[in-house]
């Protein structure tokens, strides 16, 4: 069976949750004998290459995906146009297109065995994200939702939001590589609190910093990530006098090693489509402290403590998680085991073959 994945950002050149999902599922499918292609932006160059068994096909030149912390509409349109011109998707038995940023989904819409994978459903959030331009985004999202195909949601939260507009989606979640995590040794140095993610307003790192200010000065925090808000967040941390360290994104093994040596993972955002890193933290034995919000799918997936979105409650939850880490450790690891990538791959194949 020939399977085509469609998503502009490609792992490991771009390290996000969507990219990780396609890579982890794709390489497992390839190992099982399926012929797997990934149509994306050519971060590696302008020729087709093979990576971990997946044939990577460049459809457009490398460009900045974000402007001022937000996805660029122009990039999504140009990638979709190039995809239509360069990819003969009718040659494939299955096309699995990641819905965001929408325009590629429209290009794929006529394929007879199309799977649209939803990582989030934004609805009215479009207006908050883009202002008046959000009306355009909301309309495009609704058009994609009406495409007749197999719809997959990565979380029950997204599936519920889709059902509210009449779209039935099967939940096939993201996962973690349990066996690989087991083999990685803990780092020599750990931290009381760890955050990893894009440093943009939506991730809520401001809330984390304000919560840390309410904790004892001895509490250490590592913030791993890059983004439009990094300089501002570093300045806030210095101004507040926090015992806080900032690092750019690091390779996956190093991140796991640090989490194994640390106490608590912080996820202060109110909007998460899934959060693979939270499950990986669980697999390392770390409880996750996150926000109680209907758009935060991680609050119903990760094991840890859920609290209200204010600095005092978040600070109290961090302290509680640190105190209870030994008691929560086994629960966290068992929770992560339910999301092993091998299980997830078998489930998506079942969807493909229906």
């Amino acid at each position: 069976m020939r399977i085509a994945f469609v998503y502009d950002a490609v792992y490991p050149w771009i390290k996000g949750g969507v990219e990780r999902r396609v890579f982890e599922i794709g390489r497992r499918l390839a190992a099982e004998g399926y012929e797997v292609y990934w149509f994306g932006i050519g971060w590696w160059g302008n020729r087709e290459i093979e990576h971990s068994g997946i044939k990577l096909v460049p459809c457009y030149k490398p460009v900045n995906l974000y402007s001022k912390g937000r996805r660029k509409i122009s990039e999504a349109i140009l990638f979709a146009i190039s995809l239509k011109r360069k990819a003969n998707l009718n040659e494939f038995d299955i096309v699995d297109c990641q819905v965001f940023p929408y325009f590629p989904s429209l290009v794929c819409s006529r394929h007879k065995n199309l799977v649209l994978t939803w990582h989030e459903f934004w609805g009215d959030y479009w207006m908050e994200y883009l202002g008046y331009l959000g009306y355009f985004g909301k309309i495009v999202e609704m058009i994609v939702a009406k495409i007749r195909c197999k719809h997959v949601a990565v979380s029950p939260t997204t599936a519920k939001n889709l059902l509210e507009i009449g779209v039935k989606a099967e939940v096939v979640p993201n996962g973690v590589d349990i066996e690989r995590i087991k083999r990685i040794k803990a780092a020599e140095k750990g931290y009381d609190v760890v955050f990893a993610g894009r440093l943009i307003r939506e991730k809520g790192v401001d809330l984390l910093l304000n919560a840390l200010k309410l904790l004892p000065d001895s509490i250490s925090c590592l913030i791993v990530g890059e983004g439009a808000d990094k300089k501002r967040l570093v300045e806030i941390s210095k101004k507040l006098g926090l015992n806080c360290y900032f690092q750019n994104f690091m390779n996956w093994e190093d991140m796991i090693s640090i989490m194994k040596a640390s106490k608590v993972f912080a996820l202060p955002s109110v909007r998460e489509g899934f959060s693979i890193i939270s499950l990986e933290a669980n697999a390392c034995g770390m409880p996750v402290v996150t926000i109680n919000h209907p758009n935060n799918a991680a609050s119903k997936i990760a094991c840890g403590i859920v609290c209200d979105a204010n600095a005092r409650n978040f600070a109290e939850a961090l302290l509680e998680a640190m105190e209870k880490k030994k008691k929560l450790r086994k629960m966290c690891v068992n929770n992560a085991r339910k999301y092993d990538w091998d299980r997830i791959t078998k489930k998506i194949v079942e969807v493909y073959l229906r």
Side-chain angles (χ1 to χ4, degrees):
M1 183 163 65
R2 305 184 81 215
I3 301 169
F5 288 97
V6 176
Y7 190 58
D8 51 2
V10 180
Y11 188 90
W13 292 271
I14 307 294
K15 296 179 175 70
V18 184
E19 298 87 341
R20 278 290 303 283
R21 177 188 178 90
V22 176
F23 172 73
E24 296 290 355
I25 292 176
R27 72 184 182 93
R28 285 168 171 78
L29 291 173
E32 291 177 14
Y34 295 100
E35 196 173 347
V36 182
Y37 286 74
W38 186 341
F39 292 89
I41 285 177
W43 308 99
W44 59 91
N46 58 8
R47 293 184 180 181
E48 179 181 318
I49 65 170
E50 186 170 313
H51 178 59
S52 298
I54 306 170
K55 296 178 177 64
L56 304 180
V57 183
C59 292
Y60 195 64
K61 63 185 179 181
V63 293
N64 288 328
L65 297 178
Y66 293 88
S67 176
K68 297 180 180 179
R70 288 178 167 80
R71 266 288 204 145
K72 292 168 66 174
I73 298 173
S74 59
E75 178 277 327
I77 294 172
L78 291 170
F79 173 70
I81 292 171
S82 187
L83 174 71
K84 183 175 179 61
R85 187 172 68 248
K86 294 187 176 182
N88 185 5
L89 297 177
N90 290 325
E91 294 179 347
F92 294 88
D93 301 297
I94 299 289
V95 172
D96 188 336
C97 182
Q98 313 309 294
V99 169
F100 194 86
Y102 303 102
F103 296 104
S105 302
L106 299 175
V107 173
C108 301
S109 62
R110 293 190 178 183
H111 193 277
K112 60 182 179 180
N113 286 317
L114 173 64
V115 176
L116 287 179
T117 299
W118 294 81
H119 295 262
E120 287 186 88
F121 177 78
W122 281 17
D124 291 337
Y125 177 67
W126 274 107
M127 271 61 78
E128 181 181 337
Y129 189 73
L130 288 178
Y132 72 92
L133 289 175
Y135 289 102
F136 176 66
K138 185 177 180 180
I139 290 170
V140 174
E141 183 177 55
M142 289 299 295
I143 291 172
V144 171
K146 298 303 180 183
I147 294 173
R148 298 186 65 180
C149 66
K150 296 172 184 174
H151 292 269
V152 166
V154 304
S155 72
T157 299
T158 297
K160 177 178 176 291
N161 291 339
L162 286 167
L163 192 59
E164 289 175 356
I165 61 164
V167 178
K168 188 175 182 180
E170 182 162 356
V171 177
V172 182
N174 293 326
V176 290
D177 196 329
I178 297 294
E179 292 304 316
R180 194 174 169 201
I181 290 173
K182 278 184 182 178
R183 294 193 296 267
I184 297 173
K185 295 181 180 180
E188 292 183 4
K189 180 182 178 181
Y191 300 83
D192 294 308
V193 180
V194 174
F195 166 87
R198 284 188 293 125
L199 300 181
I200 56 175
R201 178 177 59 87
E202 289 80 5
K203 291 298 181 179
V205 181
D206 293 78
L207 173 62
L208 171 60
L209 296 178
N210 287 323
L212 290 170
K213 180 62 178 175
L214 302 176
L215 298 178
D217 294 341
S218 59
I219 298 293
S220 62
C221 178
L222 174 65
I223 295 177
V224 179
E226 300 162 38
D229 274 5
K230 183 170 185 177
K231 183 178 179 181
R232 182 181 65 82
L233 293 169
V234 171
E235 290 174 354
I236 291 174
S237 177
K238 289 179 180 178
K239 184 177 180 181
L240 294 176
L242 302 178
N243 186 15
C244 197
Y245 304 86
F246 286 79
Q247 289 190 29
N248 288 340
F249 285 120
M250 59 186 72
N251 71 58
W252 184 81
E253 289 83 1
D254 289 344
M255 189 72 235
I256 295 298
S257 181
I258 288 173
M259 289 199 294
K260 279 193 168 186
S262 301
K263 294 180 181 178
V264 175
F265 188 85
L267 187 70
S269 53
V270 297
R271 186 171 201 96
E272 287 288 342
F274 190 88
S275 183
I276 292 175
I277 189 69
S278 294
L279 272 185
E280 290 174 335
N282 277 174
C284 294
M286 296 178 79
V288 174
V289 173
T290 192
I291 301 300
N292 182 22
H293 193 280
N295 291 322
N296 180 15
S299 66
K300 299 176 179 65
I301 294 170
C303 176
I305 297 174
V306 177
C307 66
D308 291 337
N310 64 72
R312 183 160 298 281
N313 281 351
F314 203 80
E316 291 171 355
L318 289 172
L319 279 178
E320 182 181 353
M322 281 185 264
E323 291 169 359
K324 293 182 177 179
K325 188 195 173 182
K326 289 184 179 179
K327 293 181 179 179
L328 291 172
R329 178 180 173 80
K330 187 175 181 180
M331 290 175 57
C332 290
V333 173
N334 287 340
N335 181 60
R337 284 198 181 107
K338 297 185 295 184
Y339 295 90
D340 186 80
W341 278 120
D342 292 338
R343 289 187 181 185
I344 305 306
T345 302
K346 289 178 182 177
K347 190 167 184 179
I348 198 66
V349 169
E350 291 173 4
V351 173
Y352 291 164
L353 295 178
R354 275 183 210 146

